[in-house]
Amino acid sequence: MAYSKIEVTPYGGAVGAEVGGVDLGELDNETFAEIEQALYENLVLFFHDQDITEDEQVAFAARFGPIGYYPFVEGLRDHPEIVPVLKEAGESLNFGGVWHSDTAYLEKPPMGSVLYAKELPPVGGDTLWSNMYLAYERLSGGMKDVLDGLKAVNSSRKGPAAITREARIEDHGKEDAADYYEAVHPAIRIHPATGKKAIYVNIGHTANFEGMTEEESAPILNYLFEHAIRPEFTCRFKWEVGDVAVWDNRCAQHYAMNDYHGHRRLMHRVTIEGEAPA
Ligand code: SIN
């Protein structure tokens, strides 16, 4: 699509675009409409040099829909909608350091998130995204037929993702959080705005297909976990302080690189409420 209010430059061949000409603290409706369209086309958008307040970050996220919630960790005291995504210099694990689609274990996982870089290591700490439309398109017809009828069980208990949130739960865990969350969603979901099909299983949260054991599900799930993140479906974003990323959680997975040991990294994340995947 042609844009008149924003400049959209593809960031990679498969997913992601940089958006210029925008101050996220001062958006009019027409500019926002173009941003939303660019998000549908590119799945993740990057905005550089943003100097926005907490209120402005929340207001930007709220333009996409009601603010969502993260069940395990408290938000900032003055802005509970903002969850700090933090790795302290002395910690070894990072939050989000496994490929995932955010909180797929909820009945209504978020439609997306807005992530704002506040403090970064001198080098490293990139984030990768992968395009789940493209991953679906590249499956064989036979595999598509098999998956189209399957539902998958997503659980917050899966080990590799669960351990990445432990330190933050220790610091600022929500007292009313359940021990774990589980939700069954279609293995292939249809995006409510674009009508396109996307793979909706991820190694962070998907445990098994409904009606099958983990052992029975594993051969196909493990294939999909690998397939979904093939390098040609991904982009890797190198952050600068002041950068903002917004992604569509319904058709993209992401991964926070953990390669900056001994340094602190702090991001502010706001999630946007989604619908039950269909
Ligand atoms: C997340 O999974 O939301 C965190 C991404 C990041 O810190 O880069």
Side-chain angles (χ1 to χ4, degrees):
M1 123 149 202
Y3 299 99
S4 61
K5 306 291 256 182
I6 60 176
E7 295 138 29
V8 179
T9 310
Y11 193 73
V15 62
E18 290 171 303
V19 178
V22 172
D23 175 352
L24 293 179
E26 286 187 17
L27 280 184
D28 57 49
N29 292 341
E30 270 178 282
T31 306
F32 177 73
E34 291 197 357
I35 290 174
E36 195 172 36
Q37 188 57 38
L39 184 64
Y40 291 150
E41 288 174 8
N42 296 283
L43 289 56
V44 52
L45 301 178
F46 307 112
F47 303 85
H48 298 291
D49 297 324
Q50 299 295 318
D51 184 12
I52 52 173
T53 64
E54 280 90 356
D55 283 335
E56 286 168 340
Q57 184 183 355
V58 174
F60 173 54
R63 280 186 165 268
F64 292 92
I67 298 299
Y69 76 104
Y70 182 61
F72 289 111
V73 179
E74 294 287 1
L76 300 179
R77 189 175 309 214
D78 296 342
H79 290 85
E81 310 92 338
I82 298 179
V83 173
V85 171
L86 172 69
K87 182 182 173 211
E88 293 287 9
E91 292 176 347
S92 56
L93 291 170
N94 69 329
F95 186 93
V98 60
W99 277 102
H100 65 286
S101 172
D102 283 332
T103 53
Y105 45 77
L106 297 179
E107 292 301 327
K108 293 184 177 178
M111 66 100 348
S113 293
V114 175
L115 193 65
Y116 186 26
K118 305 294 284 184
E119 286 177 54
L120 293 171
V123 68
D126 301 352
T127 308
L128 288 79
W129 279 266
S130 189
N131 181 332
M132 292 304 107
Y133 294 140
L134 197 51
Y136 176 75
E137 277 167 28
R138 296 289 168 85
L139 293 171
S140 65
M143 182 60 104
K144 285 177 183 164
D145 288 345
V146 169
L147 294 175
D148 275 344
L150 290 179
K151 291 190 170 184
V153 178
N154 296 276
S155 172
S156 64
R157 277 194 289 196
K158 269 195 93 177
I163 56 171
T164 76
R165 65 177 94 91
E166 271 172 10
R168 298 291 72 82
I169 290 178
E170 225 163 86
D171 289 350
H172 295 107
K174 279 188 174 162
E175 292 201 347
D176 61 354
D179 287 346
Y180 68 93
Y181 296 85
E182 238 171 52
V184 177
H185 298 308
I188 305 300
R189 69 183 292 183
I190 299 177
H191 193 288
T194 65
K196 290 166 69 174
K197 288 184 174 180
I199 291 181
Y200 196 62
V201 295
N202 70 88
I203 195 169
H205 305 316
T206 309
N208 56 282
F209 291 115
E210 187 182 44
M212 295 189 206
T213 64
E214 289 185 13
E215 291 73 19
E216 288 167 339
S217 308
I220 294 184
L221 278 183
N222 288 338
Y223 169 76
L224 291 173
F225 296 155
E226 289 293 314
H227 170 80
I229 57 163
R230 276 165 50 179
E232 64 268 34
F233 303 154
T234 70
C235 75
R236 176 171 176 159
F237 185 64
K238 197 171 175 51
W239 295 92
E240 300 282 344
V241 169
D243 286 344
V244 172
V246 54
W247 66 89
D248 190 326
N249 197 47
R250 301 167 293 190
C251 50
Q253 292 189 25
H254 59 285
Y255 175 92
M257 182 63 73
N258 187 15
D259 59 353
Y260 52 95
H261 300 298
H263 298 282
R264 192 171 197 263
R265 178 179 183 271
L266 173 66
M267 319 291 274
H268 279 181
R269 189 179 82 173
V270 180
T271 57
I272 306 149
E273 199 174 284
E275 58 284 307

